[in-house]
Amino acid sequence: AESLARVDMAVACLLKRRLDGAADSLAPVLAIPPGLRIAQLGGRLADVRVRLGGAEFSGSQEARDLGDQIDDFVGATIVQELDGPSGAR
């Protein structure tokens, strides 16, 4: 639940154009190991990713970097879900 609250906090920061606050809010979330991630995070982070692509952040290297971190997080989560709990393919 804390991770979802942090994603919501990041969205609030982005609405205020506080990219640094969004990055700070998301840092602990993006550090969660794949096996401990909850399914709802992917959809919520997708919203953050869309907001990072908005005109207000165009040209921002920090926004691109945070977007890349989100992409990596979501990609690793998908792989974990496909591998299943045992991690075996």
Side-chain angles (χ1 to χ4, degrees):
E2 179 184 343
S3 57
L4 295 175
R6 287 187 166 278
V7 174
D8 290 342
M9 190 180 321
V11 169
C13 288
L14 293 177
L15 290 171
K16 294 179 181 182
R17 295 190 167 101
R18 291 194 49 239
L19 187 55
D20 58 336
D24 290 345
S25 294
L26 290 178
V29 175
L30 297 175
I32 297 171
L36 300 177
R37 298 175 184 173
I38 59 173
Q40 296 90 339
L41 280 174
R44 299 287 266 287
L45 286 169
D47 183 42
V48 174
R49 187 69 178 94
V50 167
R51 291 176 189 281
L52 287 170
E56 61 271 24
F57 300 114
S58 67
S60 167
Q61 183 62 47
E62 187 178 5
R64 282 193 298 277
D65 290 345
L66 186 55
D68 289 346
Q69 291 175 40
I70 290 170
D71 291 344
D72 291 345
F73 180 94
V74 172
T77 301
I78 291 170
V79 168
Q80 175 68 27
E81 290 173 356
L82 290 175
D83 284 348
S86 67
R89 290 185 177 210

Coordinates of all heavy atoms in Angstrom, one line a residue:
A1 N 0.8 -1.2 0.0 CA 0.0 0.0 0.0 C 0.9 1.3 0.0 O 0.5 2.2 -0.6 CB -0.9 0.0 1.2
E2 N 2.0 1.2 0.7 CA 2.9 2.4 0.7 C 3.4 2.7 -0.7 O 3.5 3.8 -1.1 CB 4.1 2.2 1.7 CG 5.0 3.3 1.7 CD 6.2 3.1 2.5 OE1 6.3 2.2 3.4 OE2 7.2 3.9 2.3
S3 N 3.7 1.6 -1.4 CA 4.2 1.9 -2.8 C 3.2 2.6 -3.7 O 3.6 3.5 -4.4 CB 4.7 0.5 -3.4 OG 3.7 -0.4 -3.4
L4 N 1.9 2.2 -3.5 CA 0.9 2.9 -4.3 C 0.7 4.3 -3.9 O 0.5 5.2 -4.7 CB -0.4 2.1 -4.2 CG -0.4 0.7 -4.8 CD1 -1.8 0.0 -4.5 CD2 -0.2 0.7 -6.3
A5 N 0.8 4.6 -2.6 CA 0.8 6.0 -2.1 C 1.9 6.8 -2.6 O 1.8 8.0 -3.0 CB 0.8 6.0 -0.6
R6 N 3.1 6.2 -2.7 CA 4.3 6.9 -3.3 C 4.1 7.2 -4.8 O 4.5 8.3 -5.2 CB 5.5 6.1 -3.1 CG 6.0 6.1 -1.7 CD 7.4 5.4 -1.5 NE 7.9 5.7 -0.2 CZ 8.6 6.8 0.1 NH1 8.7 7.7 -0.8 NH2 9.1 7.0 1.3
V7 N 3.4 6.3 -5.5 CA 3.2 6.6 -6.9 C 2.2 7.7 -7.0 O 2.3 8.6 -7.8 CB 2.6 5.3 -7.6 CG1 2.2 5.7 -9.1 CG2 3.7 4.2 -7.7
D8 N 1.1 7.7 -6.2 CA 0.2 8.8 -6.2 C 0.9 10.2 -5.8 O 0.5 11.2 -6.4 CB -0.9 8.6 -5.2 CG -1.9 7.4 -5.6 OD1 -1.8 7.1 -6.8 OD2 -2.6 6.9 -4.8
M9 N 1.8 10.1 -4.9 CA 2.5 11.3 -4.5 C 3.4 11.8 -5.7 O 3.5 13.0 -5.9 CB 3.4 11.0 -3.3 CG 4.1 12.3 -2.7 SD 5.2 11.9 -1.3 CE 4.3 10.7 -0.4
A10 N 3.9 10.9 -6.4 CA 4.7 11.3 -7.6 C 3.8 12.0 -8.6 O 4.2 13.0 -9.2 CB 5.4 10.0 -8.2
V11 N 2.6 11.4 -8.8 CA 1.7 12.1 -9.8 C 1.4 13.5 -9.3 O 1.3 14.4 -10.1 CB 0.4 11.2 -9.9 CG1 -0.7 12.0 -10.7 CG2 0.7 9.9 -10.6
A12 N 1.1 13.6 -8.0 CA 0.8 15.0 -7.5 C 2.0 15.9 -7.7 O 1.8 17.1 -8.1 CB 0.5 14.9 -6.0
C13 N 3.2 15.4 -7.5 CA 4.4 16.3 -7.8 C 4.5 16.7 -9.3 O 4.8 17.8 -9.6 CB 5.7 15.5 -7.4 SG 5.9 15.4 -5.6
L14 N 4.2 15.7 -10.2 CA 4.2 16.0 -11.6 C 3.2 17.1 -12.0 O 3.4 17.9 -12.8 CB 4.1 14.8 -12.4 CG 5.2 13.8 -12.3 CD1 4.9 12.5 -13.1 CD2 6.5 14.4 -12.8
L15 N 2.0 17.0 -11.3 CA 1.0 18.0 -11.6 C 1.4 19.4 -11.2 O 0.9 20.4 -11.8 CB -0.3 17.6 -10.9 CG -1.1 16.4 -11.4 CD1 -2.2 16.0 -10.5 CD2 -1.6 16.6 -12.9
K16 N 2.3 19.4 -10.2 CA 2.8 20.7 -9.8 C 4.2 21.0 -10.5 O 4.9 22.0 -10.1 CB 3.1 20.7 -8.3 CG 1.8 20.6 -7.5 CD 2.1 20.6 -6.0 CE 0.8 20.4 -5.2 NZ 1.0 20.5 -3.8
R17 N 4.5 20.2 -11.5 CA 5.8 20.3 -12.2 C 7.0 20.2 -11.4 O 8.0 20.9 -11.6 CB 5.8 21.6 -13.0 CG 4.7 21.7 -14.1 CD 4.9 22.8 -15.0 NE 4.0 22.7 -16.2 CZ 2.9 23.3 -16.4 NH1 2.4 24.1 -15.4 NH2 2.2 23.1 -17.5
R18 N 6.9 19.4 -10.4 CA 8.0 19.1 -9.5 C 8.6 17.7 -9.8 O 8.3 16.8 -9.1 CB 7.6 19.2 -8.0 CG 7.2 20.6 -7.5 CD 7.1 20.7 -6.0 NE 8.3 20.1 -5.4 CZ 8.2 19.1 -4.5 NH1 7.0 18.6 -4.1 NH2 9.3 18.7 -3.9
L19 N 9.4 17.7 -10.8 CA 10.0 16.5 -11.3 C 10.9 15.8 -10.2 O 10.9 14.6 -10.0 CB 10.8 16.7 -12.6 CG 11.3 15.5 -13.3 CD1 10.3 14.5 -13.6 CD2 12.0 15.9 -14.6
D20 N 11.7 16.7 -9.5 CA 12.5 16.2 -8.4 C 11.8 15.5 -7.3 O 12.2 14.5 -6.8 CB 13.4 17.3 -7.9 CG 12.6 18.5 -7.3 OD1 11.5 18.7 -7.7 OD2 13.2 19.2 -6.4
G21 N 10.6 16.1 -7.0 CA 9.8 15.4 -5.9 C 9.2 14.1 -6.4 O 9.1 13.2 -5.6
A22 N 8.8 14.0 -7.7 CA 8.3 12.8 -8.2 C 9.4 11.7 -8.2 O 9.2 10.6 -7.8 CB 7.8 13.0 -9.7
A23 N 10.6 12.1 -8.6 CA 11.7 11.1 -8.6 C 12.0 10.7 -7.2 O 12.3 9.5 -6.9 CB 13.0 11.8 -9.2
D24 N 12.0 11.6 -6.2 CA 12.2 11.2 -4.8 C 11.1 10.3 -4.3 O 11.4 9.3 -3.6 CB 12.3 12.4 -3.9 CG 13.5 13.3 -4.1 OD1 14.5 12.8 -4.8 OD2 13.5 14.4 -3.7
S25 N 9.9 10.5 -4.7 CA 8.8 9.7 -4.2 C 8.9 8.3 -4.8 O 8.6 7.3 -4.1 CB 7.5 10.3 -4.7 OG 7.2 11.5 -4.0
L26 N 9.4 8.2 -6.0 CA 9.4 6.9 -6.7 C 10.7 6.1 -6.4 O 10.7 4.9 -6.6 CB 9.3 7.1 -8.2 CG 7.9 7.5 -8.7 CD1 8.0 7.8 -10.2 CD2 6.9 6.6 -8.4
A27 N 11.7 6.7 -5.9 CA 13.0 6.0 -5.7 C 12.8 4.7 -4.9 O 13.3 3.6 -5.3 CB 14.0 6.9 -5.1
P28 N 12.1 4.7 -3.7 CA 11.9 3.4 -3.0 C 11.0 2.4 -3.7 O 11.3 1.2 -3.6 CB 11.2 3.9 -1.7 CG 11.4 5.3 -1.6 CD 11.5 5.8 -3.0
V29 N 10.1 2.9 -4.5 CA 9.2 2.0 -5.3 C 10.0 1.3 -6.4 O 10.0 0.1 -6.6 CB 8.1 2.8 -5.9 CG1 7.2 1.9 -6.8 CG2 7.2 3.4 -4.9
L30 N 10.9 2.1 -7.1 CA 11.6 1.5 -8.2 C 12.7 0.6 -7.7 O 13.3 -0.2 -8.5 CB 12.2 2.6 -9.0 CG 11.2 3.5 -9.7 CD1 11.8 4.7 -10.4 CD2 10.3 2.7 -10.7
A31 N 13.0 0.6 -6.4 CA 14.0 -0.3 -5.8 C 13.4 -1.6 -5.3 O 14.2 -2.5 -4.9 CB 14.7 0.4 -4.7
I32 N 12.1 -1.8 -5.4 CA 11.5 -3.0 -4.9 C 11.9 -4.2 -5.8 O 11.8 -4.1 -7.1 CB 10.0 -2.9 -4.9 CG1 9.5 -1.8 -3.9 CG2 9.3 -4.2 -4.6 CD1 8.0 -1.5 -4.0
P33 N 12.4 -5.3 -5.3 CA 12.8 -6.4 -6.1 C 11.6 -7.0 -6.8 O 10.5 -7.0 -6.3 CB 13.4 -7.4 -5.1 CG 13.7 -6.6 -3.9 CD 12.7 -5.5 -3.9
P34 N 11.8 -7.5 -8.1 CA 10.7 -8.1 -8.9 C 9.8 -9.0 -8.1 O 8.6 -9.0 -8.3 CB 11.4 -8.7 -10.0 CG 12.7 -8.0 -10.2 CD 13.1 -7.6 -8.8
G35 N 10.3 -9.9 -7.3 CA 9.5 -10.9 -6.6 C 8.6 -10.3 -5.5 O 7.7 -11.0 -5.1
L36 N 8.8 -9.1 -5.2 CA 8.0 -8.4 -4.1 C 7.0 -7.4 -4.6 O 6.4 -6.7 -3.8 CB 9.0 -7.8 -3.1 CG 9.9 -8.8 -2.4 CD1 10.8 -8.0 -1.4 CD2 9.1 -9.9 -1.6
R37 N 7.0 -7.2 -5.9 CA 6.1 -6.2 -6.5 C 4.7 -6.6 -6.6 O 4.4 -7.8 -6.8 CB 6.6 -5.8 -7.9 CG 8.0 -5.3 -7.8 CD 8.6 -5.0 -9.2 NE 10.0 -4.6 -9.1 CZ 10.8 -4.5 -10.1 NH1 10.4 -4.7 -11.3 NH2 12.0 -4.1 -9.9
I38 N 3.8 -5.6 -6.3 CA 2.3 -5.9 -6.5 C 1.9 -5.6 -7.9 O 2.4 -4.6 -8.5 CB 1.5 -5.2 -5.4 CG1 1.7 -3.7 -5.5 CG2 1.9 -5.7 -4.0 CD1 0.8 -2.9 -4.5
A39 N 0.9 -6.3 -8.3 CA 0.4 -6.1 -9.7 C 0.0 -4.7 -10.1 O 0.1 -4.2 -11.2 CB -0.7 -7.1 -10.0
Q40 N -0.6 -4.0 -9.1 CA -1.2 -2.7 -9.4 C -0.2 -1.6 -9.7 O -0.5 -0.6 -10.3 CB -2.0 -2.2 -8.1 CG -3.2 -3.1 -7.8 CD -2.9 -4.2 -6.8 OE1 -1.7 -4.6 -6.7 NE2 -3.9 -4.7 -6.2
L41 N 1.1 -1.9 -9.4 CA 2.1 -0.9 -9.6 C 2.3 -0.6 -11.1 O 2.5 0.6 -11.5 CB 3.5 -1.3 -9.0 CG 3.6 -1.1 -7.5 CD1 4.9 -1.7 -7.0 CD2 3.5 0.4 -7.2
G42 N 2.2 -1.6 -11.9 CA 2.4 -1.4 -13.4 C 1.5 -0.4 -14.0 O 1.9 0.5 -14.7
G43 N 0.2 -0.5 -13.7 CA -0.8 0.4 -14.2 C -0.6 1.8 -13.7 O -0.7 2.8 -14.4
R44 N -0.3 1.9 -12.4 CA -0.1 3.2 -11.8 C 1.1 3.9 -12.3 O 1.1 5.1 -12.6 CB 0.0 3.1 -10.3 CG -1.3 2.5 -9.6 CD -2.5 3.5 -9.6 NE -2.6 4.2 -8.4 CZ -3.0 3.7 -7.3 NH1 -3.3 2.5 -7.1 NH2 -3.1 4.5 -6.2
L45 N 2.2 3.1 -12.5 CA 3.4 3.7 -13.1 C 3.2 4.1 -14.5 O 3.9 5.0 -15.0 CB 4.6 2.7 -12.9 CG 5.1 2.6 -11.5 CD1 6.1 1.5 -11.3 CD2 5.7 3.9 -11.0
A46 N 2.4 3.4 -15.2 CA 2.1 3.8 -16.6 C 1.5 5.2 -16.7 O 1.9 6.0 -17.6 CB 1.1 2.8 -17.3
D47 N 0.7 5.6 -15.7 CA 0.2 6.9 -15.7 C 1.3 7.9 -15.5 O 1.3 9.0 -16.1 CB -0.9 7.1 -14.6 CG -1.5 8.4 -14.5 OD1 -1.8 9.0 -15.6 OD2 -1.7 9.0 -13.4
V48 N 2.2 7.6 -14.6 CA 3.4 8.5 -14.4 C 4.2 8.6 -15.6 O 4.6 9.7 -16.0 CB 4.3 8.0 -13.2 CG1 5.5 8.8 -13.1 CG2 3.5 7.9 -11.9
R49 N 4.4 7.5 -16.3 CA 5.1 7.5 -17.6 C 4.5 8.4 -18.6 O 5.2 9.1 -19.3 CB 5.2 6.0 -18.1 CG 6.1 5.9 -19.3 CD 7.6 6.1 -18.8 NE 8.5 5.9 -19.9 CZ 9.0 6.8 -20.7 NH1 8.6 8.1 -20.5 NH2 9.9 6.5 -21.6
V50 N 3.2 8.3 -18.7 CA 2.5 9.2 -19.7 C 2.7 10.7 -19.3 O 3.0 11.5 -20.2 CB 1.0 8.8 -19.7 CG1 0.2 9.9 -20.5 CG2 0.8 7.5 -20.4
R51 N 2.6 11.0 -18.1 CA 2.8 12.4 -17.6 C 4.2 12.9 -17.9 O 4.4 14.0 -18.2 CB 2.4 12.5 -16.2 CG 0.9 12.4 -15.9 CD 0.6 12.4 -14.4 NE -0.8 12.0 -14.2 CZ -1.8 12.9 -14.4 NH1 -1.6 14.1 -14.8 NH2 -3.1 12.4 -14.2
L52 N 5.2 12.0 -17.7 CA 6.5 12.4 -18.0 C 6.8 12.7 -19.5 O 7.7 13.4 -19.8 CB 7.5 11.2 -17.6 CG 7.7 11.1 -16.1 CD1 8.5 9.8 -15.8 CD2 8.4 12.3 -15.5
G53 N 5.9 12.1 -20.4 CA 6.0 12.4 -21.8 C 5.3 13.7 -22.2 O 5.3 14.0 -23.4
G54 N 4.7 14.4 -21.3 CA 4.0 15.6 -21.6 C 4.9 16.7 -22.0 O 6.1 16.8 -21.7
A55 N 4.3 17.7 -22.6 CA 5.0 18.9 -23.1 C 5.8 19.6 -22.0 O 6.9 20.2 -22.2 CB 4.0 19.9 -23.7
E56 N 5.2 19.6 -20.8 CA 5.9 20.4 -19.7 C 7.3 19.8 -19.3 O 8.1 20.4 -18.7 CB 5.0 20.5 -18.4 CG 4.6 19.2 -17.8 CD 3.3 18.6 -18.4 OE1 3.0 18.9 -19.5 OE2 2.7 17.8 -17.7
F57 N 7.5 18.5 -19.7 CA 8.8 17.9 -19.4 C 9.6 17.5 -20.6 O 10.6 16.9 -20.5 CB 8.5 16.6 -18.6 CG 7.8 16.8 -17.3 CD1 6.6 16.4 -17.0 CD2 8.4 17.6 -16.3 CE1 5.9 16.6 -15.8 CE2 7.8 17.9 -15.1 CZ 6.5 17.4 -14.9
S58 N 9.2 18.0 -21.8 CA 9.9 17.7 -23.0 C 11.3 18.4 -22.9 O 11.4 19.5 -22.4 CB 9.2 18.2 -24.3 OG 9.1 19.6 -24.3
G59 N 12.3 17.7 -23.3 CA 13.6 18.2 -23.3 C 14.3 18.0 -21.9 O 15.5 18.4 -21.8
S60 N 13.6 17.4 -21.0 CA 14.2 17.2 -19.7 C 14.9 15.8 -19.6 O 14.2 14.8 -19.7 CB 13.1 17.3 -18.6 OG 13.6 16.8 -17.4
Q61 N 16.2 15.9 -19.4 CA 16.9 14.6 -19.3 C 16.5 13.9 -18.0 O 16.4 12.6 -18.0 CB 18.5 14.9 -19.2 CG 19.3 13.6 -19.1 CD 19.1 12.8 -20.4 OE1 19.2 13.2 -21.5 NE2 18.9 11.5 -20.2
E62 N 16.2 14.6 -17.0 CA 15.7 13.9 -15.7 C 14.4 13.2 -16.0 O 14.2 12.1 -15.5 CB 15.6 14.9 -14.6 CG 15.2 14.3 -13.3 CD 15.1 15.3 -12.1 OE1 15.2 16.5 -12.3 OE2 14.9 14.8 -11.0
A63 N 13.5 13.8 -16.8 CA 12.2 13.1 -17.1 C 12.5 11.9 -17.9 O 11.9 10.8 -17.7 CB 11.3 14.1 -17.8
R64 N 13.4 12.0 -18.9 CA 13.7 10.8 -19.7 C 14.3 9.7 -18.8 O 14.0 8.5 -19.0 CB 14.7 11.2 -20.8 CG 14.0 11.8 -22.0 CD 14.9 11.9 -23.2 NE 16.1 12.7 -23.0 CZ 16.1 14.1 -23.1 NH1 15.1 14.7 -23.4 NH2 17.3 14.7 -22.8
D65 N 15.2 10.1 -17.9 CA 15.9 9.1 -17.1 C 14.9 8.4 -16.2 O 14.9 7.1 -16.0 CB 17.0 9.7 -16.2 CG 18.2 10.2 -17.0 OD1 18.3 9.7 -18.2 OD2 19.0 11.0 -16.5
L66 N 14.0 9.2 -15.6 CA 12.9 8.6 -14.7 C 12.0 7.7 -15.5 O 11.6 6.6 -15.1 CB 12.1 9.7 -14.0 CG 11.1 9.2 -13.0 CD1 11.7 8.3 -11.9 CD2 10.4 10.4 -12.4
G67 N 11.7 8.1 -16.7 CA 10.8 7.3 -17.6 C 11.5 5.9 -18.0 O 10.9 4.9 -18.0
D68 N 12.8 6.0 -18.2 CA 13.6 4.8 -18.5 C 13.6 3.9 -17.3 O 13.5 2.6 -17.4 CB 15.0 5.1 -18.9 CG 15.1 5.8 -20.3 OD1 14.2 5.7 -21.0 OD2 16.2 6.3 -20.5
Q69 N 13.7 4.4 -16.1 CA 13.7 3.6 -14.9 C 12.3 2.9 -14.7 O 12.3 1.8 -14.3 CB 14.0 4.5 -13.6 CG 15.4 5.0 -13.6 CD 15.6 5.9 -12.4 OE1 15.0 5.7 -11.3 NE2 16.3 7.0 -12.6
I70 N 11.3 3.7 -15.0 CA 9.9 3.1 -14.9 C 9.8 2.0 -16.0 O 9.3 0.9 -15.7 CB 8.9 4.2 -15.1 CG1 8.8 5.1 -13.9 CG2 7.5 3.5 -15.4 CD1 8.0 6.3 -14.1
D71 N 10.3 2.2 -17.2 CA 10.2 1.1 -18.2 C 11.0 -0.1 -17.8 O 10.5 -1.2 -18.0 CB 10.8 1.7 -19.5 CG 9.9 2.7 -20.2 OD1 8.8 2.9 -19.8 OD2 10.5 3.4 -21.1
D72 N 12.1 0.1 -17.2 CA 12.9 -1.1 -16.7 C 12.2 -1.8 -15.6 O 12.1 -3.1 -15.6 CB 14.3 -0.6 -16.2 CG 15.2 -0.1 -17.3 OD1 14.9 -0.4 -18.5 OD2 16.2 0.5 -17.0
F73 N 11.6 -1.1 -14.7 CA 10.8 -1.7 -13.6 C 9.6 -2.5 -14.1 O 9.5 -3.6 -13.7 CB 10.3 -0.5 -12.7 CG 9.5 -1.0 -11.5 CD1 10.1 -1.2 -10.3 CD2 8.2 -1.2 -11.6 CE1 9.4 -1.6 -9.2 CE2 7.4 -1.6 -10.5 CZ 8.1 -1.8 -9.3
V74 N 8.9 -1.9 -15.0 CA 7.7 -2.6 -15.5 C 8.1 -3.8 -16.4 O 7.5 -4.9 -16.2 CB 6.8 -1.6 -16.4 CG1 5.7 -2.3 -17.1 CG2 6.2 -0.5 -15.5
G75 N 9.2 -3.7 -17.1 CA 9.7 -4.8 -17.9 C 10.1 -5.9 -17.1 O 9.8 -7.1 -17.3
A76 N 10.9 -5.7 -16.0 CA 11.3 -6.7 -15.1 C 10.1 -7.3 -14.4 O 10.2 -8.5 -14.1 CB 12.3 -6.1 -14.1
T77 N 9.1 -6.6 -14.1 CA 7.9 -7.1 -13.4 C 7.2 -8.1 -14.3 O 6.8 -9.1 -13.9 CB 7.0 -5.9 -13.0 OG1 7.7 -5.1 -12.1 CG2 5.8 -6.5 -12.3
I78 N 7.1 -7.7 -15.6 CA 6.4 -8.6 -16.6 C 7.2 -9.9 -16.7 O 6.6 -11.0 -16.7 CB 6.3 -7.9 -17.9 CG1 5.3 -6.8 -17.8 CG2 5.9 -8.9 -19.0 CD1 5.2 -5.8 -19.0
V79 N 8.5 -9.8 -16.8 CA 9.3 -11.1 -16.9 C 9.1 -11.9 -15.6 O 8.9 -13.1 -15.7 CB 10.8 -10.7 -17.0 CG1 11.7 -11.9 -16.8 CG2 11.0 -10.1 -18.4
Q80 N 9.1 -11.3 -14.4 CA 8.8 -12.1 -13.2 C 7.5 -12.7 -13.2 O 7.3 -13.9 -12.8 CB 8.9 -11.1 -12.0 CG 8.6 -11.8 -10.7 CD 9.6 -12.8 -10.2 OE1 10.8 -12.7 -10.6 NE2 9.2 -13.8 -9.5
E81 N 6.5 -12.0 -13.7 CA 5.1 -12.6 -13.8 C 5.1 -13.8 -14.7 O 4.4 -14.8 -14.5 CB 4.1 -11.5 -14.1 CG 3.9 -10.5 -13.0 CD 3.0 -9.3 -13.5 OE1 2.6 -9.3 -14.6 OE2 2.7 -8.5 -12.6
L82 N 5.8 -13.6 -15.9 CA 5.8 -14.7 -16.8 C 6.5 -15.9 -16.3 O 6.2 -17.1 -16.6 CB 6.4 -14.2 -18.1 CG 5.6 -13.2 -18.9 CD1 6.4 -12.8 -20.1 CD2 4.2 -13.8 -19.4
D83 N 7.6 -15.7 -15.6 CA 8.4 -16.8 -15.0 C 7.7 -17.5 -13.9 O 7.9 -18.7 -13.6 CB 9.7 -16.3 -14.5 CG 10.7 -15.9 -15.6 OD1 10.5 -16.3 -16.7 OD2 11.8 -15.3 -15.3
G84 N 6.7 -16.8 -13.3 CA 6.0 -17.5 -12.2 C 6.8 -17.4 -10.9 O 7.9 -16.9 -10.8
P85 N 6.2 -17.9 -9.8 CA 6.9 -17.8 -8.5 C 8.2 -18.5 -8.4 O 9.0 -18.1 -7.6 CB 5.8 -18.3 -7.5 CG 4.9 -19.1 -8.4 CD 5.0 -18.5 -9.7
S86 N 8.4 -19.6 -9.1 CA 9.6 -20.3 -9.0 C 10.8 -19.7 -9.8 O 11.9 -20.0 -9.6 CB 9.4 -21.8 -9.5 OG 9.1 -21.8 -10.9
G87 N 10.4 -18.8 -10.7 CA 11.5 -18.2 -11.6 C 11.9 -19.1 -12.7 O 12.8 -18.8 -13.5
A88 N 11.3 -20.3 -12.8 CA 11.7 -21.3 -13.9 C 10.8 -21.0 -15.1 O 9.7 -20.7 -15.0 CB 11.5 -22.7 -13.4
R89 N 11.4 -21.3 -16.2 CA 10.7 -21.1 -17.5 C 10.4 -22.5 -18.1 O 11.0 -23.4 -17.9 CB 11.6 -20.4 -18.6 CG 11.7 -19.0 -18.2 CD 12.5 -18.2 -19.3 NE 12.5 -16.8 -18.9 CZ 12.5 -15.8 -19.6 NH1 12.5 -16.0 -20.9 NH2 12.5 -14.6 -19.2

